[in-house]
Amino acid sequence: MALHDAPAETRHRWRVGTEAHNEVLDFLIEEAWILDDGRYAAWLEMLGEEIEYFMPTRSTVYRNDGLGFSENMGHYDETRKSLELRVRRLLESTSAWTEAPPSRTRRLVTNVQVWDGDAPDEYLARSACLLLRNRIDNPTFDMLSTSRRDTVRRSGDSFVLIKRRIEIDQATLGTPNLSMFF
Amino acid sequence: MAISGLEVTSEPTLRDGTTLGDLINEDQREVSLRVLADPELYRLELERIFGRCWIAVAHESELPEPGSFVVRSIGEDSVVVTRSEDGDINVLLNVCTHRGMPLCRVGRGNAKRLRCPYHGWAFNTDGRFLAAPFEKQMYGPDMDKVALSLKTARAEVYAGIVFACWDQSAPPLVDYLGDIAWYLDIMFSRTDAGLEVVGEPQRFIIGANWKAASEQWAGDGYHAMTLHHSLTDLGLADYSKGSWAINVSTMGHNLRCTDNPKKFWGANTDGLSLEEKLRTLPPPGTTPEMLDEVMRHLSEPQLQILTDTPPSVGQIFPNLFVWNSPGLSADGTISAITRIHTMFPRGHDKMELVSWALVERDAPEDVKRKARQTSVLMTGISGFIEQDDAETWPAIQRSANGTQGQKLTMKYIAVLGEQRPEGWPDGATVYDGFSRDDPQWNWWLRYRELMTTGPAASEAW
């Protein structure tokens, strides 16, 4: 399956407005607000223990050579433990200068599609996410346009995220450092 | 002769009469912030630094087979780095000799030839002109094809890193590296299969002059205690005792040798044999199975340095950062950070950082995975350490853009002076002690030396 493809057509897709679509959409909207608000401890609560969180690097290639994503090199290549460590840095250290003072971020999550997952309580989702980042008194924004492919699993009356692949639309990123989550 | 308004004399003079000697005060060991913000100086740097030095452009593992190519830069010039049919590595200006159109519009790929999308002129992967469409009708039978070859830089590989140089009068790469080459062996040339690049490098833009990063990479141990204090807060490093190292400095290059690995591993190797030391403190990124190879690849003095005070981070003048050290992975176990960054200037106030993670090619997949995850966690665009470095440089750039800020200087007044440990093996200048400004000041002296000699002058070499 090519990386940008939707999951296989044999999977059931939950149309916009159906119950599962609404529930997953609600989860993604809640997550975006939590991250925009900088409530990182609450964000960790939304992640499964086994989460794989990967944002591959990429190169510009011709159409016949695919999409140019690395299989194994990332801007982020994270486990639950490393994400916890990243959150601890932001919350516990006064010397995490990338976020001191904090960036102002806005995650615009849209074009959400939802499919059945591999297990009965899992769903696949993909979404477009535009992350706007503003630092200090700079009037302009760093814009990070991505598509995200998620696997979520039911947990209580909501979900946990157990897999996220973030495909960024830039080969050369226009922001000097990544301290924010997608 | 004038280049961008600058007279090519022994001392560059800017339009307002300021000389480089006014900006780099050798008596006071101060450098004017204006050097970070001056477009005239920048144009001259592209000629006299990037037009003459050996510049890292790729790792040889990025070019696995004939026809492999990657597109990189030297200064602001786009270059195609190719592996041609004969297996050689070539560095070609990515500009068609016909009308100036770039030949390659992608970042990497594999091609038998490079064909210009504009009029179709085609070149071999070693840069030789091959053919043009309707060649006879356009140019007749006597076309001078040799003269139409792509502009080609000298290309050489050391420790797996591909370097390129436009200056025919520059010394060979190994002489350019001088005594530092010996340490690069310790960091990067330790095993039969050697290192390989993991996937695509991280690439990102930092809104600052390239020298803001480069002078820091040239041996700034002092900033770690403050800027990188978050690592101490998280228990990932301990900077409370300051930054001690043996800095090895020559021709503007610098490497920091430290006994940090001993602290990392909590190892006391006193009285052990060389082999026992090596098994206690294996080179970061290797596995126990590779240690026989390490013994074979490195000389006894190299193994001595490797097991006592290995080179961990440093810089090859003017813009290559090298890193090989143990690193704590997120699960608390010890892994490795093996990384090289180069940066391509993109105007006087912007640079593109290209950052590769490396692993031992023969290491098992789980060792490779942990090493690349540790590299990403600690270094590069999202790394705990280098996130914060990238926060400082654009902020300093803003200071340097101010008319009053430009009148301030960066201070390199903390002098250690050469402190050479007994029996230290090479001819570089060695500073053993609390890391002061010496190697960074040497970087500026090398910069000034190259900037005050003409483009083709041999005296700087």
Side-chain angles (χ1 to χ4, degrees), chain B residues 2 21 41 89 159 168 180 218 245-246 280 298 301 306 328 402 419 437 461:
Chain B
L41 263 186
I89 291 177
Q168 295 303 320
I180 290 294
I246 301 169
T280 311
L298 300 180
L306 169 63
L328 267 188
Q419 303 285 333
D437 297 332
W461 305 117

Side-chain angles (χ1 to χ4, degrees), chain B residues 312-368:
Chain B
S312 55
V313 293
Q315 192 213 211
I316 308 305
F317 189 92
N319 68 334
L320 172 68
F321 188 54
V322 294
W323 186 319
N324 176 237
S325 78
L328 267 188
S329 73
D331 65 12
T333 59
I334 295 175
S335 180
I337 299 167
T338 310
R339 198 120 194 193
I340 57 177
H341 311 324
T342 186
M343 111 280 280
F344 307 136
R346 291 276 178 267
H348 71 276
D349 57 357
K350 207 186 279 184
M351 63 181 130
E352 177 184 346
L353 210 91
V354 179
S355 171
W356 295 263
L358 297 156
V359 291
E360 287 287 346
R361 189 190 300 267
D362 277 352
E365 184 50 37
D366 60 322
V367 172
K368 289 183 181 181

Side-chain angles (χ1 to χ4, degrees), chain A residues 57-60 62 70 72-75 77 82 86 89 93 95 97-98 135 137 172-173 176-179, chain B residues 106-107 198-200 202-205 227 229-230 233 330 372-373 376-377 381-382 384 387-388 390-391 398:
Chain A
T57 55
R58 74 184 304 177
S59 194
T60 305
Y62 285 117
S70 295
N72 50 12
M73 180 63 192
H75 294 296
D77 185 356
S82 69
R86 287 181 184 277
R89 189 179 107 95
S93 176
S95 301
W97 300 108
T98 334
R135 289 289 290 136
D137 55 358
T172 301
L173 274 59
N177 43 29
L178 292 177
S179 49
Chain B
V106 293
V198 184
E200 296 292 320
Q202 296 175 345
R203 274 183 283 258
F204 51 105
I205 300 292
L227 187 73
H229 198 270
S230 73
D233 291 341
R372 71 181 188 241
Q373 287 183 328
V376 169
L377 184 65
I381 188 168
S382 69
F384 283 175
Q387 275 183 43
D388 290 333
E391 195 66 14
R398 181 163 176 182

Side-chain angles (χ1 to χ4, degrees), chain B residues 424-437:
Chain B
W424 195 262
D426 67 38
T429 311
V430 185
Y431 305 92
D432 179 10
F434 195 97
S435 297
R436 294 191 182 168
D437 297 332

Side-chain angles (χ1 to χ4, degrees), chain B residues 64 67 196 206 217 244 250 281 296 305 311 324 337 342 380 442 453:
Chain B
E196 64 180 6
I206 301 176
W217 294 350
W244 295 79
T250 184
L281 297 168
R296 220 170 45 240
I305 296 286
N324 176 237
I337 299 167
T342 186
N442 292 343
T453 51

Side-chain angles (χ1 to χ4, degrees), chain B residues 296-309:
Chain B
R296 220 170 45 240
H297 278 265
L298 300 180
S299 68
E300 196 172 316
Q302 284 174 318
L303 289 167
Q304 203 74 53
I305 296 286
L306 169 63
T307 52
D308 284 340
T309 49

